Amino acid sequence: MRERRHTLPLPLGDEVPFSKGLMARALVVTGLDPERAYLIARRADRDLVERGAVSLDLDRLGELAAELIGDEEAATTVRRLRRLDALQRLEEPLLLLVGGATGTGKSTIATEAAHRLGITRVTSTDFIRQTLRAYFSPVFMPSVHFSSFEAGLGLTKAEEEEAGDAHLLGFLDQTRNVLVGVEAAIDRSLAEGWSMVLEGVHLVPGMVDVDRAGAIVVQCVIAIDDEDIHRSHFWVRDHATEGLRPLEKYMDGLPEIRRIQDALVERAQRFDVPVIRNATLDQAMGEVLDLVLSTADRLVRA
């Protein structure tokens, strides 16, 4: 049985009766915070009552939104709503691949994107790597037994000397192993018609098969330009997880993490994969949603 992301069109009062709650939820998907989304939905509801109408179109909704959030943001919101409507009308499952180096915020972005798009399946390549560790001993598959930025420790001395950059070679070796499991997860998801968000450092542009018939596949790489901001993410994560992940290890490994990020960005540019600079969560989320919704819009127009 195929599992669709959404089954309802936008609740503008035509195909679906107008609902403040459903409208606010649709507005949140576009990147608006819940408070402003509900204010716009409530304003639209009042407009219907004042006009004695049962429905409104997106142009009218944009006019009402502009009263509350300004012309520019209202225009962006309406544009995203049009694209969201296009996405909802597509039957194909959606596969969103969110790559990026350790500590760039890709897990947070992936989880939030899944929530806003109504996707219930979210997994990480680290989860797949952990599964591989349970089945393969360090003797047979050494690289998966290290963090991505420490995978060079799994190389032999001869491999290290040949590599030039042992950390990067170790990471790519680990990636090739993990992607076997990633491809299997994707195959199963699409065979069952599930939409899925997959995040992880191992989603290396050019190494993941994104040419999937019968699916909407969207890939991006999250990056942080400022090293100090990147470093601060580990402090925030350490506080949020109460030290579950050893902070010192990530601080010590930051140079290697940054080199892996450079490699991911370079490959993204080479394989025409969008790079989203995570300056703020709201900005990054908006760009991810734009990427997903514009892809759906292009497919509808094709």
Side-chain angles (χ1 to χ4, degrees):
M1 182 175 71
R2 299 180 72 84
E3 180 183 277
R4 299 183 63 184
R5 300 169 300 282
H6 297 281
T7 57
L8 296 177
L10 294 179
L12 295 169
D14 293 323
E15 298 171 74
V16 176
F18 182 83
S19 160
K20 292 194 296 290
L22 291 177
M23 177 53 69
R25 178 178 175 181
L27 289 165
V28 166
V29 174
T30 70
L32 284 180
D33 60 88
E35 182 178 356
R36 289 191 301 164
Y38 187 72
L39 284 175
I40 294 171
R42 192 168 62 180
R43 177 68 184 90
D45 184 54
R46 192 166 69 249
D47 178 70
L48 290 176
V49 173
E50 291 169 353
R51 294 189 293 113
V54 295
S55 67
L56 74 164
D57 58 27
L58 284 175
D59 290 334
R60 179 58 181 166
L61 183 65
E63 293 171 6
L64 299 172
E67 297 174 7
L68 299 168
I69 61 176
D71 292 340
E72 184 176 349
E73 195 165 9
T76 298
T77 298
V78 170
R79 184 179 69 250
R80 288 175 179 169
L81 277 175
R82 292 187 193 281
R83 290 171 168 176
L84 173 63
D85 191 46
L87 174 64
Q88 291 172 337
R89 295 176 188 279
L90 292 171
E91 293 286 342
E92 295 87 351
L94 169 65
L95 178 63
L96 174 59
L97 307 175
V98 183
T102 305
T104 53
K106 60 188 178 298
S107 300
T108 301
I109 289 170
T111 303
E112 182 66 17
H115 172 70
R116 295 191 185 190
L117 294 167
I119 298 174
T120 58
R121 288 173 170 81
V122 184
T123 193
S124 72
T125 63
D126 261 349
F127 179 82
I128 293 171
R129 180 175 66 88
Q130 187 65 27
T131 303
L132 291 174
R133 290 177 65 173
Y135 281 92
F136 296 97
S137 74
V139 174
F140 290 102
M141 197 177 285
S143 65
V144 301
H145 290 266
F146 297 91
S147 296
S148 59
F149 54 91
E150 297 176 323
L153 298 173
L155 299 176
T156 65
K157 189 65 178 175
E159 290 172 324
E160 226 178 291
E161 291 173 353
E162 184 182 342
D165 188 334
H167 289 284
L168 187 56
L169 182 67
F171 164 66
L172 293 175
D173 179 67
Q174 181 185 99
T175 294
R176 280 188 286 270
N177 291 321
V178 171
L179 284 181
V180 175
V182 169
E183 296 287 350
I186 292 174
D187 288 343
R188 175 61 186 272
S189 176
L190 299 186
E192 298 291 335
W194 301 337
S195 291
M196 181 171 67
V197 177
L198 186 59
E199 61 89 6
V201 65
H202 307 98
L203 299 175
V204 178
M207 295 182 71
V208 186
D209 180 12
V210 295
D211 186 15
R212 302 281 180 158
I216 306 164
V217 182
V218 179
Q219 184 180 15
C220 63
V221 168
I222 309 298
I224 296 179
D225 290 330
D226 189 296
E227 184 172 334
D228 289 334
I229 294 176
H230 198 167
R231 182 180 292 106
S232 73
H233 278 217
F234 295 111
W235 284 100
V236 171
R237 185 166 69 178
D238 181 69
H239 177 72
T241 62
E242 298 182 344
L244 184 62
R245 298 181 179 182
L247 176 64
E248 294 77 13
K249 182 174 86 167
Y250 294 101
M251 292 301 185
D252 293 343
L254 188 58
E256 287 72 38
I257 291 171
R258 299 285 293 176
R259 285 209 295 276
I260 288 173
Q261 173 173 280
D262 290 343
L264 291 173
V265 169
E266 186 277 326
R267 289 185 67 96
Q269 293 168 343
R270 196 186 337 154
F271 290 96
D272 200 25
V273 172
V275 177
I276 293 174
R277 311 288 177 172
N278 186 10
T280 68
L281 178 60
D282 286 344
Q283 159 265 323
M285 275 304 311
E287 290 187 34
V288 170
L289 291 170
D290 265 341
L291 181 61
V292 172
L293 298 176
S294 61
T295 300
D297 193 37
R298 285 198 303 273
L299 290 174
V300 168
R301 295 172 185 273

